Amino acid sequence: MKYVPSVWSKYSSNHNEDAELYADLAAEKPIAAERQGQKIVVEIKSFVGKSLMYDFHNALGQYIVYRKLIQLTEPEYKLYLAVDDVVYENFFQRKSVQAVINENNLLLIVVNTEKEEIRQWIS
């Protein structure tokens, strides 16, 4: 995967409302990159809160908003949500979570954070 500079644009509607995407500076941040010639943005989520469902709810909402704004400002990019392999195996495999993932067409990257390697791309 080749990393490219992140380009975040303002989206201005006819009503002069602006929505901006900013990279978080902590462990959770969107990264612009290329994968086999495809431009992607990766939103990394740690799921370290008291409730995995609450963390998922927040990640899903943010993903949906980011995806729409990216479609409006940088339509050549696809948004992926990156999650730890342990969280994926223990939480993302639940039938209810899989139903939400499928309904919302989430693109996922499963990462082994200890080895710092991508285990799986899920489209």
Side-chain angles (χ1 to χ4, degrees), residues 46-69:
S46 57
F47 290 85
V48 295
K50 293 181 181 180
S51 165
L52 289 174
M53 188 56 81
Y54 182 79
D55 288 347
F56 178 65
H57 176 265
N58 286 336
L60 175 64
Q62 188 174 26
Y63 180 92
I64 291 169
V65 170
Y66 275 22
R67 181 176 58 195
K68 178 48 75 179
L69 293 176

Side-chain angles (χ1 to χ4, degrees), residues 99-116:
V100 172
I101 289 169
N102 292 332
E103 178 70 25
N104 289 282
N105 300 312
L106 267 72
L107 304 177
L108 297 173
I109 300 173
V110 181
V111 180
N112 181 318
T113 54
E114 290 181 13
K115 294 181 180 178
E116 297 182 358

Side-chain angles (χ1 to χ4, degrees), residues 82-94:
V83 296
D84 179 79
D85 57 348
V86 174
V87 173
Y88 180 77
E89 294 298 328
N90 294 327
F91 180 74
F92 277 69
Q93 294 300 308
R94 294 179 183 178

Side-chain angles (χ1 to χ4, degrees), residues 3-62:
Y3 291 99
V4 295
S6 179
V7 179
W8 299 104
S9 303
K10 288 183 181 180
Y11 168 68
S12 298
S13 70
N14 294 333
H15 305 291
N16 293 324
E17 296 173 333
D18 289 343
E20 299 178 33
L21 296 177
Y22 290 103
D24 297 331
L25 298 178
E28 301 178 356
K29 58 187 175 191
I31 303 168
E34 284 188 18
R35 175 184 180 236
Q36 299 173 347
Q38 180 185 34
K39 294 181 179 182
I40 65 171
V41 174
V42 180
E43 176 66 12
I44 303 167
K45 289 297 181 190
S46 57
F47 290 85
V48 295
K50 293 181 181 180
S51 165
L52 289 174
M53 188 56 81
Y54 182 79
D55 288 347
F56 178 65
H57 176 265
N58 286 336
L60 175 64
Q62 188 174 26

